[in-house]
Amino acid sequence: MKVEIWSDVMCPFCYIGKRKFETALDGFEHKNQIEVEWKSFQLNPDLKTEPGRSINDYLAEVKGWSPEYAAEANAYVSGIAAEVGLEYHMDKAVLANSFDAHRFAHYAKTQGKGDQAEEQLFKAYFTDGKNTADIDTLVDLGAAIGLDAEALRAVLEGDDFAEEVRRDIYEAHQVGAKGVPFFVLDRKFAVSGAQQPETFAGALAQAFGKWSESNPVQPISLADGASCNVEGACD
């Protein structure tokens, strides 16, 4: 069963939601039958990459907050992140348009490393203070998860996967995503936001129950008359 997750690199709750969903999935009985696919979303498509500009100043401008209130809000979110084992350094975050980061993630997905790419991007942005719009940075992130550096650079220096990013963003609106993270399970159930693991666990169980009605596990006949299902349980 497929779970699609729309997210943006600069969304602090997307990284938190990733951890909470992973906790739920790790404890899910049928986790080996779950396919997770990351989808692109841009909170601010027109954002200009501005290394050196404070994230607090940016939030104050776009949300009408004072810089002091923005700092308090970021400290609050950092505290929530710490509760799930994440270390945020919002004071080091580099304002960066996420379009090329999403192209990087799409390329990584074609190499079977979509989840690792998302993890690298989130950590780079929220923990390490790296410029996730910089090609050299993205190539280094790709190399760290085993991607071919030259092939990745060729992708990023061109416009490969741009259409895939735009398609994901269009599709997000079609499935009702007004913000991120947004989780869609089997295209029938949706969970919005960085919910608690218990909420994700319940959604997984409900969606999988419906999915399994039309995708029953097929037993494998053995010579001794016993049978095993594809999850390895034997009678």
Side-chain angles (χ1 to χ4, degrees), residues 69-192:
Y69 182 80
E72 291 176 5
N74 279 327
Y76 174 74
V77 173
S78 297
I80 296 175
E83 292 175 0
V84 294
L86 298 174
E87 186 176 339
Y88 279 13
H89 296 291
M90 301 298 286
D91 58 316
K92 299 196 302 182
V94 176
L95 282 176
N97 188 288
S98 59
F99 194 84
D100 283 342
H102 285 304
R103 292 200 300 124
F104 158 72
H106 268 279
Y107 171 72
K109 185 162 57 175
T110 68
Q111 306 302 304
K113 296 181 180 292
D115 190 77
Q116 294 105 308
E118 294 294 333
E119 183 70 24
Q120 286 287 316
L121 288 168
F122 284 135
K123 183 176 182 294
Y125 189 93
F126 291 107
T127 303
D128 299 332
K130 295 182 178 179
N131 183 351
T132 53
D134 177 69
I135 289 179
D136 289 338
T137 297
L138 293 174
V139 169
D140 287 344
L141 295 180
I145 58 174
L147 296 178
D148 183 285
E150 291 185 8
L152 176 56
R153 183 176 294 279
V155 165
L156 295 172
E157 289 180 346
D159 62 354
D160 293 9
F161 300 102
E163 186 55 38
E164 285 83 348
V165 174
R166 296 187 186 99
R167 186 182 305 123
D168 277 359
I169 294 170
Y170 171 78
E171 200 172 17
H173 299 293
Q174 298 300 110
V175 299
K178 297 180 180 178
V180 286
F182 194 78
F183 302 75
V184 176
L185 297 79
D186 194 33
R187 285 296 171 110
K188 295 181 177 65
F189 300 87
V191 178
S192 178

Side-chain angles (χ1 to χ4, degrees), residues 1-2 28-31 33-34 185-189 203-219 229-231:
M1 185 187 79
K2 181 178 286 189
F28 185 56
E29 180 183 3
H30 306 286
K31 65 180 179 180
Q33 289 183 265
I34 303 299
L185 297 79
D186 194 33
R187 285 296 171 110
K188 295 181 177 65
F189 300 87
L204 281 167
Q206 184 180 15
F208 189 83
K210 291 292 185 181
W211 178 85
S212 61
E213 291 176 2
S214 55
N215 295 273
V217 174
Q218 298 296 323
N229 62 34
V230 294
E231 295 178 318

Side-chain angles (χ1 to χ4, degrees), residues 45-67:
D46 299 320
L47 176 68
K48 294 182 179 179
T49 300
E50 295 185 75
R53 186 184 182 193
S54 166
I55 188 71
N56 294 335
D57 289 342
Y58 165 74
L59 289 173
E61 177 184 315
V62 299
K63 292 184 175 294
W65 297 345
S66 69

